[in-house]
Amino acid sequence: MKALFLAGGYGTRLRPFTFTKPKPLIDFANEPIILHQIKALHAVGVRTIVLAVNYQPSEMRKFAKEVKKELDIEIKFSLETEPLGTGGPLKLAEEYLKGNEPFFVLNSDVICDFPFADMLEYHKKNKSEGTILATKVEDPSRYGVIVHQENGKIERFVEKPQEFVGDRINAGIYILNPSVLDTIPLRWTSLEREIFPKLAKEEKIYCYHLNGFWMDVGKPGDFILGSTLYLKFISSQIKESKKVKIHGGVLIEGEDIQGAVLVPKEGRKGVQIGENCRIGPNVVIGKNVRIGNGCRLKNCTIMDGVVIGQSSYIENSIIGWGSHIGSWTRIQSHCFLGEDVTVRDECNINSLTVCPHKGVNQNIMKETIML
Ligand code: GDD
Ligand code: MG
């Protein structure tokens, strides 16, 4: 089977991390977001991946080479000379997708316990043109809302509704029959605003409800929430002795660990955690991270190569690759530090976004972006 990834766009909402890497390659739980998706697709027999991109994909090509070494999978690039939205890229890649089998389409920023096998079975049983994975959220206005009948047949699809229409939303994962490609023009077009509403009107599209966690991690705040949900999910699976594949590392235990803490697959050997630390719950620690004595970390992602001095406190924040955090710092309430940021000793920062290669030398207590 085949899958197309909508991997274009500029990822502006995931800045400052997308200044360094394309959004699909940002490490989520120590592994590029789309690698979680690719591995789950591979497990259900997908062997051809089309990456639909609209920028020079040199980083993506490097990534594709590495994936091909690890998995028996073909990766093709479909490069737009100008952005084609979420619909146009499917038409552009038509030659790769057509045939007599349905194919998967994925937004490259969504994380869940991908139910691909069940979704495929449902799609085949319904004999519909398309199946959209659906989930329930508290604030549907940020998503595409699905109004459906009891049997799953979609009656209406409303992207980013201004008024409340329902709380069942598009989770950004689809199975489509090749015939849908005939309804898509070769120009900028939106699947959600143009194609899905039309298919709904023609009663050709169904939704499959996702049980379990889901998050669009395309914004830093949602990325932290998504990491928490993911870590809670894998630790609950482990507790219930269920089989769960953790791709980006292992959960560690110890007197200094509370709840779920993910480190690279080498375990404690892959990171340095000083004495008298308290780490967790819901912490992701990347490769070659060094944490000084007496640090307290919770609900945060510390990316590869970060060094943290002693007695620092980090909560609800993301620390980008190779950053240097001084001693006795306090970093909390959604601080997002890009690659190679330095925070001086004793700095106290709140709700601060810092662009790559910058230094923080003073206390900052209100929401600020440091360019
Ligand atoms: N190739 C290509 N070209 N990809 C694009 C383009 C483009 O011009 N524009 C956006 N994309 C990709 C993004 O990289 C992302 O993977 C996907 O299309 C969706 O774009 P987002 O910008 O992340 O959309 P959203 O999060 O506001 O809304 C979408 O996702 C929600 C679920 O998270 C919609 O599909 C909603 O209906 C849905 O509920
Ligand atoms: Mg998104």
Side-chain angles (χ1 to χ4, degrees):
M1 273 192 83
K2 295 167 188 160
L4 177 132
F5 282 77
L6 289 163
Y10 297 101
T12 46
R13 288 177 294 179
L14 198 52
R15 283 176 181 166
F17 307 104
T18 44
F19 282 128
T20 304
K21 281 186 192 205
K23 179 166 79 168
L25 299 188
I26 304 287
D27 301 302
F28 174 87
N30 281 345
E31 198 161 63
I33 303 170
I34 58 165
L35 195 50
H36 291 266
Q37 301 173 320
I38 292 176
K39 286 184 177 170
L41 287 166
H42 185 266
V44 296
V46 170
R47 291 294 179 271
T48 306
I49 299 273
V50 183
L51 297 176
V53 291
N54 56 19
Y55 44 80
Q56 262 325 98
S58 59
E59 280 248 21
M60 293 287 263
R61 287 201 194 277
K62 217 170 86 199
F63 163 79
K65 251 191 188 164
E66 284 163 20
V67 174
K68 275 193 249 178
K69 259 192 253 160
E70 198 184 328
L71 302 170
D72 157 35
I73 207 159
E74 199 182 352
I75 301 185
K76 297 179 185 297
F77 281 82
S78 176
L79 179 62
E80 295 146 51
T81 49
E82 58 186 81
L84 292 179
T86 51
L90 274 69
K91 190 68 176 179
L92 189 69
E94 187 169 23
E95 59 172 316
Y96 299 137
L97 301 174
K98 66 185 179 202
N100 42 22
E101 256 192 341
F103 53 85
F104 287 96
V105 176
L106 286 91
N107 287 351
S108 53
D109 56 3
V110 292
I111 286 291
C112 60
D113 182 27
F114 306 102
F116 294 135
D118 295 344
M119 195 179 163
L120 192 59
E121 197 186 309
Y122 176 85
H123 177 77
K124 288 183 174 161
K125 197 181 75 199
N126 270 327
K127 297 195 170 63
S128 67
E129 297 284 302
T131 300
I132 298 179
L133 186 67
T135 187
K136 241 182 179 175
V137 292
E138 273 176 23
D139 175 14
S141 65
R142 299 162 54 198
Y143 305 101
V145 173
I146 291 168
V147 181
H148 63 89
Q149 297 175 358
E150 213 158 285
N151 64 0
K153 191 190 278 178
I154 298 179
E155 285 178 350
R156 281 176 75 200
F157 189 103
V158 191
E159 182 66 12
K160 315 255 158 58
Q162 309 271 318
E163 284 166 16
F164 185 86
V165 238
D167 58 0
R168 187 69 48 106
I169 63 128
N170 166 21
I173 294 177
Y174 326 117
I175 296 176
L176 302 176
N177 288 355
S179 56
V180 172
L181 296 169
D182 300 335
T183 68
I184 304 177
L186 184 57
R187 57 162 165 81
W188 189 99
T189 179
S190 160
L191 276 181
E192 300 87 346
R193 293 181 194 274
E194 213 175 314
I195 312 300
F196 292 157
K198 197 164 146 249
L199 289 171
K201 223 179 196 171
E202 293 167 0
E203 304 188 6
K204 287 180 176 164
I205 193 157
Y206 282 68
C207 62
Y208 176 77
H209 191 71
L210 169 72
N211 285 313
F213 81 99
W214 174 87
M215 189 53 71
D216 176 334
V217 296
K219 287 183 190 174
D222 293 342
F223 185 98
I224 294 181
L225 214 55
S227 305
T228 295
L229 294 175
Y230 174 77
L231 291 177
K232 280 188 176 161
F233 167 73
I234 51 178
S235 52
S236 71
Q237 295 290 98
I238 291 171
K239 263 189 211 134
E240 290 167 31
S241 313
K242 285 192 185 145
K243 256 198 202 155
V244 55
K245 274 213 174 109
I246 314 174
H247 299 299
V250 291
L251 295 182
I252 50 170
E253 288 179 350
E255 267 186 17
D256 50 351
I257 304 297
Q258 285 187 340
V261 173
L262 183 81
V263 300
K265 60 178 182 304
E266 298 78 19
R268 279 190 187 255
K269 281 188 212 133
V271 293
Q272 269 181 38
I273 300 178
E275 286 170 17
N276 301 318
C277 285
R278 207 140 51 92
I279 316 284
N282 311 318
V283 172
V284 174
I285 303 176
K287 283 187 208 118
N288 304 317
V289 167
R290 300 205 313 260
I291 301 170
N293 296 340
C295 285
R296 174 82 183 100
L297 270 57
K298 54 182 180 182
N299 298 321
C300 59
T301 289
I302 312 294
M303 291 187 178
D304 295 352
V306 169
V307 177
I308 305 172
Q310 61 168 300
S311 306
S312 280
Y313 177 90
I314 304 178
E315 184 185 1
N316 277 319
S317 296
I318 307 173
I319 313 297
W321 310 274
S323 289
H324 281 74
I325 309 298
S327 297
W328 305 287
T329 63
R330 201 172 171 90
I331 298 177
Q332 57 188 348
S333 311
H334 284 186
C335 284
F336 307 126
L337 312 187
E339 182 181 21
D340 181 36
V341 164
T342 307
V343 179
R344 210 179 61 184
D345 289 351
E346 296 178 32
C347 277
N348 188 349
I349 58 176
N350 260 303
S351 312
L352 174 66
T353 297
V354 187
C355 287
H357 316 297
K358 296 284 169 195
V360 180
N361 303 315
Q362 58 184 15
N363 295 345
I364 297 179
M365 303 306 287
K366 62 173 199 290
E367 205 174 326
T368 310
I369 299 176
M370 247 176 94
L371 293 170

mmCIF file of all heavy atoms in Angstrom, residues 226-266:
data_model
loop_
_atom_site.group_PDB
_atom_site.id
_atom_site.type_symbol
_atom_site.label_atom_id
_atom_site.label_comp_id
_atom_site.label_asym_id
_atom_site.label_seq_id
_atom_site.Cartn_x
_atom_site.Cartn_y
_atom_site.Cartn_z
ATOM 1 N N GLY A 226 0.915 16.993 23.817
ATOM 2 C CA GLY A 226 0.999 15.748 23.047
ATOM 3 C C GLY A 226 2.039 14.802 23.644
ATOM 4 O O GLY A 226 1.804 13.593 23.748
ATOM 5 N N SER A 227 3.184 15.354 24.080
ATOM 6 C CA SER A 227 4.224 14.506 24.683
ATOM 7 C C SER A 227 3.704 13.883 25.966
ATOM 8 O O SER A 227 3.936 12.700 26.235
ATOM 9 C CB SER A 227 5.475 15.325 25.028
ATOM 10 O OG SER A 227 5.934 16.000 23.909
ATOM 11 N N THR A 228 2.984 14.680 26.755
ATOM 12 C CA THR A 228 2.422 14.175 28.008
ATOM 13 C C THR A 228 1.446 13.033 27.730
ATOM 14 O O THR A 228 1.515 11.976 28.362
ATOM 15 C CB THR A 228 1.710 15.325 28.755
ATOM 16 O OG1 THR A 228 2.705 16.278 29.107
ATOM 17 C CG2 THR A 228 0.999 14.847 29.996
ATOM 18 N N LEU A 229 0.559 13.244 26.758
ATOM 19 C CA LEU A 229 -0.425 12.207 26.426
ATOM 20 C C LEU A 229 0.262 10.934 25.941
ATOM 21 O O LEU A 229 -0.102 9.824 26.322
ATOM 22 C CB LEU A 229 -1.397 12.711 25.346
ATOM 23 C CG LEU A 229 -2.317 13.849 25.757
ATOM 24 C CD1 LEU A 229 -3.144 14.328 24.559
ATOM 25 C CD2 LEU A 229 -3.250 13.417 26.888
ATOM 26 N N TYR A 230 1.287 11.122 25.105
ATOM 27 C CA TYR A 230 2.018 9.972 24.558
ATOM 28 C C TYR A 230 2.714 9.193 25.683
ATOM 29 O O TYR A 230 2.622 7.966 25.760
ATOM 30 C CB TYR A 230 3.033 10.475 23.526
ATOM 31 C CG TYR A 230 3.952 9.414 22.982
ATOM 32 C CD1 TYR A 230 3.509 8.516 22.019
ATOM 33 C CD2 TYR A 230 5.267 9.300 23.433
ATOM 34 C CE1 TYR A 230 4.349 7.532 21.521
ATOM 35 C CE2 TYR A 230 6.117 8.326 22.942
ATOM 36 C CZ TYR A 230 5.654 7.441 21.986
ATOM 37 O OH TYR A 230 6.495 6.468 21.498
ATOM 38 N N LEU A 231 3.403 9.921 26.572
ATOM 39 C CA LEU A 231 4.131 9.243 27.658
ATOM 40 C C LEU A 231 3.168 8.539 28.611
ATOM 41 O O LEU A 231 3.434 7.426 29.069
ATOM 42 C CB LEU A 231 5.003 10.248 28.426
ATOM 43 C CG LEU A 231 6.202 10.799 27.648
ATOM 44 C CD1 LEU A 231 6.954 11.830 28.483
ATOM 45 C CD2 LEU A 231 7.154 9.681 27.243
ATOM 46 N N LYS A 232 2.043 9.199 28.894
ATOM 47 C CA LYS A 232 1.046 8.559 29.770
ATOM 48 C C LYS A 232 0.524 7.291 29.114
ATOM 49 O O LYS A 232 0.307 6.283 29.766
ATOM 50 C CB LYS A 232 -0.123 9.510 30.041
ATOM 51 C CG LYS A 232 0.201 10.537 31.105
ATOM 52 C CD LYS A 232 -1.041 11.312 31.465
ATOM 53 C CE LYS A 232 -0.752 12.263 32.600
ATOM 54 N NZ LYS A 232 -1.756 13.324 32.704
ATOM 55 N N PHE A 233 0.310 7.379 27.791
ATOM 56 C CA PHE A 233 -0.210 6.224 27.060
ATOM 57 C C PHE A 233 0.768 5.058 27.128
ATOM 58 O O PHE A 233 0.395 3.954 27.510
ATOM 59 C CB PHE A 233 -0.495 6.611 25.596
ATOM 60 C CG PHE A 233 -0.743 5.432 24.712
ATOM 61 C CD1 PHE A 233 -1.933 4.725 24.792
ATOM 62 C CD2 PHE A 233 0.215 5.006 23.795
ATOM 63 C CE1 PHE A 233 -2.161 3.613 23.983
ATOM 64 C CE2 PHE A 233 0.001 3.904 22.992
ATOM 65 C CZ PHE A 233 -1.194 3.201 23.089
ATOM 66 N N ILE A 234 2.057 5.326 26.812
ATOM 67 C CA ILE A 234 2.974 4.176 26.805
ATOM 68 C C ILE A 234 3.189 3.637 28.215
ATOM 69 O O ILE A 234 3.263 2.431 28.403
ATOM 70 C CB ILE A 234 4.327 4.441 26.080
ATOM 71 C CG1 ILE A 234 5.008 5.702 26.576
ATOM 72 C CG2 ILE A 234 4.180 4.461 24.597
ATOM 73 C CD1 ILE A 234 6.351 5.949 25.897
ATOM 74 N N SER A 235 3.198 4.514 29.231
ATOM 75 C CA SER A 235 3.411 3.945 30.569
ATOM 76 C C SER A 235 2.190 3.152 31.021
ATOM 77 O O SER A 235 2.331 2.130 31.689
ATOM 78 C CB SER A 235 3.861 4.982 31.595
ATOM 79 O OG SER A 235 3.008 6.064 31.590
ATOM 80 N N SER A 236 0.979 3.574 30.618
ATOM 81 C CA SER A 236 -0.201 2.794 31.021
ATOM 82 C C SER A 236 -0.214 1.442 30.303
ATOM 83 O O SER A 236 -0.578 0.429 30.881
ATOM 84 C CB SER A 236 -1.493 3.567 30.759
ATOM 85 O OG SER A 236 -1.728 3.632 29.379
ATOM 86 N N GLN A 237 0.239 1.431 29.037
ATOM 87 C CA GLN A 237 0.294 0.160 28.303
ATOM 88 C C GLN A 237 1.269 -0.798 28.977
ATOM 89 O O GLN A 237 1.001 -1.983 29.119
ATOM 90 C CB GLN A 237 0.749 0.388 26.850
ATOM 91 C CG GLN A 237 -0.184 1.196 26.000
ATOM 92 C CD GLN A 237 -1.475 0.461 25.675
ATOM 93 O OE1 GLN A 237 -2.474 0.672 26.323
ATOM 94 N NE2 GLN A 237 -1.443 -0.389 24.675
ATOM 95 N N ILE A 238 2.411 -0.243 29.403
ATOM 96 C CA ILE A 238 3.426 -1.084 30.055
ATOM 97 C C ILE A 238 2.857 -1.644 31.366
ATOM 98 O O ILE A 238 2.994 -2.829 31.660
ATOM 99 C CB ILE A 238 4.727 -0.286 30.299
ATOM 100 C CG1 ILE A 238 5.391 0.008 28.944
ATOM 101 C CG2 ILE A 238 5.691 -1.054 31.216
ATOM 102 C CD1 ILE A 238 6.556 0.964 29.005
ATOM 103 N N LYS A 239 2.172 -0.772 32.134
ATOM 104 C CA LYS A 239 1.589 -1.219 33.414
ATOM 105 C C LYS A 239 0.594 -2.350 33.197
ATOM 106 O O LYS A 239 0.505 -3.274 33.986
ATOM 107 C CB LYS A 239 0.886 -0.038 34.091
ATOM 108 C CG LYS A 239 1.780 0.615 35.122
ATOM 109 C CD LYS A 239 1.036 1.641 35.938
ATOM 110 C CE LYS A 239 2.014 2.721 36.337
ATOM 111 N NZ LYS A 239 1.494 4.065 36.135
ATOM 112 N N GLU A 240 -0.158 -2.248 32.109
ATOM 113 C CA GLU A 240 -1.159 -3.300 31.839
ATOM 114 C C GLU A 240 -0.546 -4.493 31.096
ATOM 115 O O GLU A 240 -1.260 -5.335 30.566
ATOM 116 C CB GLU A 240 -2.298 -2.724 30.989
ATOM 117 C CG GLU A 240 -3.173 -1.740 31.747
ATOM 118 C CD GLU A 240 -4.090 -0.945 30.810
ATOM 119 O OE1 GLU A 240 -4.482 -1.476 29.764
ATOM 120 O OE2 GLU A 240 -4.389 0.215 31.144
ATOM 121 N N SER A 241 0.790 -4.509 31.033
ATOM 122 C CA SER A 241 1.551 -5.565 30.339
ATOM 123 C C SER A 241 1.104 -5.745 28.896
ATOM 124 O O SER A 241 1.101 -6.851 28.363
ATOM 125 C CB SER A 241 1.439 -6.914 31.052
ATOM 126 O OG SER A 241 1.644 -6.765 32.393
ATOM 127 N N LYS A 242 0.703 -4.647 28.274
ATOM 128 C CA LYS A 242 0.338 -4.733 26.854
ATOM 129 C C LYS A 242 1.584 -4.454 26.024
ATOM 130 O O LYS A 242 2.489 -3.751 26.469
ATOM 131 C CB LYS A 242 -0.732 -3.691 26.531
ATOM 132 C CG LYS A 242 -2.097 -4.071 27.062
ATOM 133 C CD LYS A 242 -3.154 -3.164 26.477
ATOM 134 C CE LYS A 242 -4.496 -3.445 27.082
ATOM 135 N NZ LYS A 242 -5.317 -2.259 27.240
ATOM 136 N N LYS A 243 1.567 -5.008 24.810
ATOM 137 C CA LYS A 243 2.710 -4.791 23.920
ATOM 138 C C LYS A 243 2.676 -3.347 23.433
ATOM 139 O O LYS A 243 1.657 -2.888 22.924
ATOM 140 C CB LYS A 243 2.588 -5.712 22.720
ATOM 141 C CG LYS A 243 3.507 -6.894 22.790
ATOM 142 C CD LYS A 243 3.645 -7.474 21.407
ATOM 143 C CE LYS A 243 4.084 -8.925 21.494
ATOM 144 N NZ LYS A 243 3.676 -9.663 20.314
ATOM 145 N N VAL A 244 3.752 -2.624 23.590
ATOM 146 C CA VAL A 244 3.791 -1.280 23.034
ATOM 147 C C VAL A 244 5.194 -1.018 22.497
ATOM 148 O O VAL A 244 6.191 -1.359 23.143
ATOM 149 C CB VAL A 244 3.350 -0.217 24.083
ATOM 150 C CG1 VAL A 244 4.159 -0.285 25.351
ATOM 151 C CG2 VAL A 244 3.398 1.189 23.519
ATOM 152 N N LYS A 245 5.253 -0.469 21.300
ATOM 153 C CA LYS A 245 6.562 -0.180 20.713
ATOM 154 C C LYS A 245 6.920 1.259 21.035
ATOM 155 O O LYS A 245 6.217 2.178 20.619
ATOM 156 C CB LYS A 245 6.497 -0.360 19.199
ATOM 157 C CG LYS A 245 6.736 -1.769 18.763
ATOM 158 C CD LYS A 245 7.444 -1.802 17.403
ATOM 159 C CE LYS A 245 7.808 -3.214 17.033
ATOM 160 N NZ LYS A 245 6.991 -3.741 15.939
ATOM 161 N N ILE A 246 7.997 1.458 21.802
ATOM 162 C CA ILE A 246 8.459 2.826 22.033
ATOM 163 C C ILE A 246 9.628 3.019 21.084
ATOM 164 O O ILE A 246 10.669 2.392 21.230
ATOM 165 C CB ILE A 246 8.929 3.026 23.490
ATOM 166 C CG1 ILE A 246 7.921 2.427 24.467
ATOM 167 C CG2 ILE A 246 9.144 4.500 23.782
ATOM 168 C CD1 ILE A 246 8.393 2.453 25.903
ATOM 169 N N HIS A 247 9.424 3.871 20.088
ATOM 170 C CA HIS A 247 10.456 3.978 19.069
ATOM 171 C C HIS A 247 11.634 4.837 19.503
ATOM 172 O O HIS A 247 12.768 4.570 19.178
ATOM 173 C CB HIS A 247 9.855 4.557 17.786
ATOM 174 C CG HIS A 247 8.772 3.694 17.228
ATOM 175 N ND1 HIS A 247 9.004 2.408 16.823
ATOM 176 C CD2 HIS A 247 7.448 3.921 17.040
ATOM 177 C CE1 HIS A 247 7.877 1.880 16.384
ATOM 178 N NE2 HIS A 247 6.915 2.781 16.513
ATOM 179 N N GLY A 248 11.352 5.890 20.253
ATOM 180 C CA GLY A 248 12.405 6.883 20.506
ATOM 181 C C GLY A 248 13.245 6.634 21.743
ATOM 182 O O GLY A 248 14.038 7.494 22.118
ATOM 183 N N GLY A 249 13.107 5.497 22.403
ATOM 184 C CA GLY A 249 13.939 5.253 23.580
ATOM 185 C C GLY A 249 13.286 4.327 24.575
ATOM 186 O O GLY A 249 12.481 3.472 24.203
ATOM 187 N N VAL A 250 13.627 4.530 25.852
ATOM 188 C CA VAL A 250 13.063 3.674 26.911
ATOM 189 C C VAL A 250 12.619 4.548 28.082
ATOM 190 O O VAL A 250 13.142 5.643 28.289
ATOM 191 C CB VAL A 250 14.102 2.647 27.428
ATOM 192 C CG1 VAL A 250 14.419 1.608 26.375
ATOM 193 C CG2 VAL A 250 15.387 3.346 27.887
ATOM 194 N N LEU A 251 11.667 4.031 28.841
ATOM 195 C CA LEU A 251 11.268 4.728 30.072
ATOM 196 C C LEU A 251 12.201 4.244 31.175
ATOM 197 O O LEU A 251 12.501 3.062 31.262
ATOM 198 C CB LEU A 251 9.817 4.384 30.440
ATOM 199 C CG LEU A 251 8.726 4.844 29.474
ATOM 200 C CD1 LEU A 251 7.347 4.473 30.018
ATOM 201 C CD2 LEU A 251 8.790 6.351 29.237
ATOM 202 N N ILE A 252 12.652 5.178 31.996
ATOM 203 C CA ILE A 252 13.546 4.736 33.078
ATOM 204 C C ILE A 252 12.853 4.857 34.423
ATOM 205 O O ILE A 252 11.861 5.576 34.573
ATOM 206 C CB ILE A 252 14.883 5.525 33.106
ATOM 207 C CG1 ILE A 252 14.645 7.044 33.057
ATOM 208 C CG2 ILE A 252 15.792 5.061 31.994
ATOM 209 C CD1 ILE A 252 15.899 7.857 33.323
ATOM 210 N N GLU A 253 13.418 4.134 35.392
ATOM 211 C CA GLU A 253 12.885 4.181 36.757
ATOM 212 C C GLU A 253 14.015 4.530 37.700
ATOM 213 O O GLU A 253 15.175 4.492 37.330
ATOM 214 C CB GLU A 253 12.303 2.813 37.124
ATOM 215 C CG GLU A 253 11.025 2.530 36.393
ATOM 216 C CD GLU A 253 10.433 1.181 36.724
ATOM 217 O OE1 GLU A 253 11.109 0.374 37.383
ATOM 218 O OE2 GLU A 253 9.289 0.949 36.297
ATOM 219 N N GLY A 254 13.677 4.838 38.913
ATOM 220 C CA GLY A 254 14.715 5.117 39.906
ATOM 221 C C GLY A 254 14.181 6.046 40.968
ATOM 222 O O GLY A 254 13.080 6.585 40.817
ATOM 223 N N GLU A 255 14.970 6.223 42.039
ATOM 224 C CA GLU A 255 14.529 7.084 43.152
ATOM 225 C C GLU A 255 14.347 8.526 42.710
ATOM 226 O O GLU A 255 13.544 9.270 43.258
ATOM 227 C CB GLU A 255 15.575 7.038 44.259
ATOM 228 C CG GLU A 255 15.262 5.983 45.274
ATOM 229 C CD GLU A 255 16.207 6.036 46.446
ATOM 230 O OE1 GLU A 255 16.893 7.053 46.652
ATOM 231 O OE2 GLU A 255 16.243 5.016 47.154
ATOM 232 N N ASP A 256 15.146 8.915 41.692
ATOM 233 C CA ASP A 256 15.088 10.302 41.219
ATOM 234 C C ASP A 256 14.048 10.505 40.117
ATOM 235 O O ASP A 256 13.934 11.585 39.547
ATOM 236 C CB ASP A 256 16.471 10.735 40.709
ATOM 237 C CG ASP A 256 17.080 9.733 39.725
ATOM 238 O OD1 ASP A 256 16.506 8.634 39.567
ATOM 239 O OD2 ASP A 256 18.109 10.057 39.109
ATOM 240 N N ILE A 257 13.309 9.428 39.769
ATOM 241 C CA ILE A 257 12.362 9.509 38.644
ATOM 242 C C ILE A 257 10.930 9.415 39.140
ATOM 243 O O ILE A 257 10.602 8.552 39.953
ATOM 244 C CB ILE A 257 12.628 8.340 37.650
ATOM 245 C CG1 ILE A 257 14.087 8.350 37.159
ATOM 246 C CG2 ILE A 257 11.641 8.366 36.482
ATOM 247 C CD1 ILE A 257 14.500 9.564 36.371
ATOM 248 N N GLN A 258 10.078 10.307 38.636
ATOM 249 C CA GLN A 258 8.648 10.245 38.988
ATOM 250 C C GLN A 258 7.849 10.091 37.712
ATOM 251 O O GLN A 258 8.015 10.892 36.791
ATOM 252 C CB GLN A 258 8.215 11.567 39.618
ATOM 253 C CG GLN A 258 8.686 11.732 41.027
ATOM 254 C CD GLN A 258 8.068 12.986 41.642
ATOM 255 O OE1 GLN A 258 7.617 13.880 40.934
ATOM 256 N NE2 GLN A 258 8.065 13.045 42.953
ATOM 257 N N GLY A 259 6.973 9.120 37.632
ATOM 258 C CA GLY A 259 6.126 8.956 36.445
ATOM 259 C C GLY A 259 6.958 8.637 35.219
ATOM 260 O O GLY A 259 8.046 8.072 35.302
ATOM 261 N N ALA A 260 6.406 9.028 34.041
ATOM 262 C CA ALA A 260 7.050 8.634 32.784
ATOM 263 C C ALA A 260 8.196 9.578 32.417
ATOM 264 O O ALA A 260 8.005 10.782 32.282
ATOM 265 C CB ALA A 260 6.005 8.624 31.674
ATOM 266 N N VAL A 261 9.383 8.994 32.238
ATOM 267 C CA VAL A 261 10.555 9.754 31.782
ATOM 268 C C VAL A 261 11.216 8.944 30.672
ATOM 269 O O VAL A 261 11.622 7.799 30.875
ATOM 270 C CB VAL A 261 11.553 10.003 32.942
ATOM 271 C CG1 VAL A 261 12.837 10.649 32.424
ATOM 272 C CG2 VAL A 261 10.910 10.862 34.023
ATOM 273 N N LEU A 262 11.263 9.527 29.482
ATOM 274 C CA LEU A 262 11.806 8.833 28.312
ATOM 275 C C LEU A 262 13.225 9.309 28.032
ATOM 276 O O LEU A 262 13.474 10.514 27.943
ATOM 277 C CB LEU A 262 10.923 9.120 27.091
ATOM 278 C CG LEU A 262 11.330 8.404 25.808
ATOM 279 C CD1 LEU A 262 10.810 6.976 25.809
ATOM 280 C CD2 LEU A 262 10.788 9.128 24.581
ATOM 281 N N VAL A 263 14.139 8.351 27.903
ATOM 282 C CA VAL A 263 15.525 8.685 27.536
ATOM 283 C C VAL A 263 15.895 7.855 26.304
ATOM 284 O O VAL A 263 15.178 6.913 25.963
ATOM 285 C CB VAL A 263 16.503 8.380 28.711
ATOM 286 C CG1 VAL A 263 16.147 9.175 29.960
ATOM 287 C CG2 VAL A 263 16.552 6.885 29.025
ATOM 288 N N PRO A 264 17.012 8.166 25.627
ATOM 289 C CA PRO A 264 17.387 7.375 24.444
ATOM 290 C C PRO A 264 17.546 5.893 24.784
ATOM 291 O O PRO A 264 17.690 5.526 25.953
ATOM 292 C CB PRO A 264 18.729 7.987 24.034
ATOM 293 C CG PRO A 264 18.693 9.367 24.583
ATOM 294 C CD PRO A 264 17.932 9.288 25.861
ATOM 295 N N LYS A 265 17.580 5.072 23.738
ATOM 296 C CA LYS A 265 17.477 3.616 23.972
ATOM 297 C C LYS A 265 18.627 3.024 24.784
ATOM 298 O O LYS A 265 18.488 1.952 25.356
ATOM 299 C CB LYS A 265 17.269 2.866 22.654
ATOM 300 C CG LYS A 265 18.350 3.010 21.620
ATOM 301 C CD LYS A 265 18.009 2.159 20.404
ATOM 302 C CE LYS A 265 19.048 2.193 19.328
ATOM 303 N NZ LYS A 265 19.402 3.516 18.822
ATOM 304 N N GLU A 266 19.746 3.742 24.885
ATOM 305 C CA GLU A 266 20.866 3.254 25.713
ATOM 306 C C GLU A 266 20.530 3.330 27.198
ATOM 307 O O GLU A 266 21.282 2.907 28.058
ATOM 308 C CB GLU A 266 22.140 4.085 25.467
ATOM 309 C CG GLU A 266 22.688 4.034 24.049
ATOM 310 C CD GLU A 266 21.905 4.910 23.072
ATOM 311 O OE1 GLU A 266 21.170 5.818 23.520
ATOM 312 O OE2 GLU A 266 22.001 4.675 21.850
#
